[in-house]
Amino acid sequence: MSLFNNSQVIGPPLKLSLKTRVTDGNSYRITVAMKLKNGIQQPGFLLALRFLALVFWSFPGARALDNGLAMTPTMGWLHWERFMCNVDCQEEPDSCISEKLFMQMAELMDSDGWKDVGYEYLCIDDCWMAPKRDSKGRLQADPKRFPGGIQGLANYVHSKGLKLGIYADVGNKTCAGFPGSFGYYDIDAKTFADWGVDLLKFDGCHCDSMEHLENGYKHMSLALNRTGRSIVYSCEWPLYMWPFRKPNYTEIRQYCNHWRNFDDVYDSWQSIKNILDWTSSNQKRIVDVAGPGGWNDPDMLVIGNFGLSWDQQVTQMALWAIMAAPLLMSNDLRHISPQAKALLQDKDVIAINQDPLGKQGYRLRKEDNIEVWERPLSDLAWAVAMVNLQEIGGPRFYTISIASLGQGMACIPDCIITQLLPVKRKLGFYQWTSDLKIQINPTGTVLLRLAAN
Ligand code: GLA
């Protein structure tokens, strides 16, 4: 191994053995044998550890849906949390679910820098449909609210260099009571492809059995693939399955590009905390399965709305980056503060979310109301987020030993640390043996990037 034989070696070989599990269900043991140089063995040893880390972190998660999509988490806009099922265009023409709303958002995504930083999918949620299918059994958009039809809207969205997402349901009805796709999977997949749709969010309401739920999600995945159109497939399969039995994530990943696990996000700090708690409590089950082509979806970004303080918005952005979550904003791009816009468009944070290694982060520790999360990145870098969950008192100091980060390998033998949030600033050069002292606002987060020197 050329990495280690650049100088004379003496002494017994050191064997490092690492067992890992990859998607085909088999375990592989990698053994690296090396001899340490007398006197200066530490740097060589530490370099070897870094190399092993690279090997270890490069293993993919379970096999992904083979449609070549969502190689990094999907980015875009989704109407639900902010606009819900408002169908009253008479009384509320500016916030009802209509083609006008989506055309305005498309225009802003193009003109206000959203598309440039990666927000690409403009997604319709529930309540776009007419109450009945057409005479050929096809879904149709409400003709008053979408006079140009979904195809017309797709053309407009594509003309802005964006992609269009749509919503349907695996059961007999959507959650809001519009026609469900049960019994119509093939027709609906073809309709969406004919219209030029690029993403399907497939909900799981009104499904009468677990068997129908599972088979329905699989059937729609195959039907979408058969259309020949590239359509990102966003599922809620595990969310609806959890109350009855534990989802098989390896299987879900083979059919879906992302999947919701937990309750709908609300515009509140309690909701963000619940999502983070669920994620850390279940991280053993869900983290390893995420990777290019398939992601856990903790639901929409509610940054730019009403319910989160500035620090809480920082926490959502930082943690959604750590969790390799789809970044689907649900807000009003016509009325958004410059501060929220800058946070959502922060290129350094988006780069962590979109890191090509595609490893989801996890909670490393929780002590004294401080949570430390970390995520391995490409080029052996790490992202670290420290959240202050104490809701009494002011900003708190927290000291962490660098050696405890990144499985002990985030900063070997040293590294450069940059704080990305709440504001960007270079913290400088740190050694493996150093401590790092950080100040964190209540309910806020400090997001760091540790990179090789
Ligand atoms: C469910 C989903 C939400 C949204 C609504 C629409 O609750 O989880 O994300 O799509 O249905 O009715």
Side-chain angles (χ1 to χ4, degrees), residues 325-370:
L327 297 182
L328 293 167
M329 306 177 280
S330 195
N331 50 20
D332 190 343
L333 301 178
R334 298 165 302 187
H335 307 285
I336 186 162
S337 72
Q339 206 185 20
K341 183 176 168 194
L343 177 61
L344 287 161
Q345 294 193 358
D346 188 315
K347 287 188 183 151
D348 297 308
V349 182
I350 291 173
I352 288 179
N353 175 270
Q354 297 283 301
D355 185 83
L357 186 60
K359 286 276 168 198
Q360 180 171 339
Y362 49 85
R363 194 177 77 184
L364 175 67
R365 93 166 56 120
K366 177 170 183 162
E367 59 176 3
D368 195 16
N369 263 323
I370 303 268

Side-chain angles (χ1 to χ4, degrees), residues 80 125-126 167 175-176 201 203 236 240 260 264 300:
W80 186 255
D125 207 288
D126 205 347
Y167 167 101
C175 297
K201 171 174 173 176
D203 211 337
E236 300 202 32
Y240 288 91
R260 285 271 309 281
D264 293 0
M300 292 159 264

Side-chain angles (χ1 to χ4, degrees), residues 78-81 84-85 124-127 167-169 174-178 201-205 236 239-240 260 262-266 297 299-300:
L78 176 60
H79 94 240
W80 186 255
E81 194 288 322
M84 301 191 73
C85 193
I124 308 173
D125 207 288
D126 205 347
C127 305
Y167 167 101
D169 189 287
T174 72
C175 297
F178 289 85
K201 171 174 173 176
F202 210 35
D203 211 337
C205 275
E236 300 202 32
L239 166 60
Y240 288 91
R260 285 271 309 281
F262 186 66
D263 295 350
D264 293 0
V265 70
Y266 277 46
D297 177 6
D299 212 3
M300 292 159 264

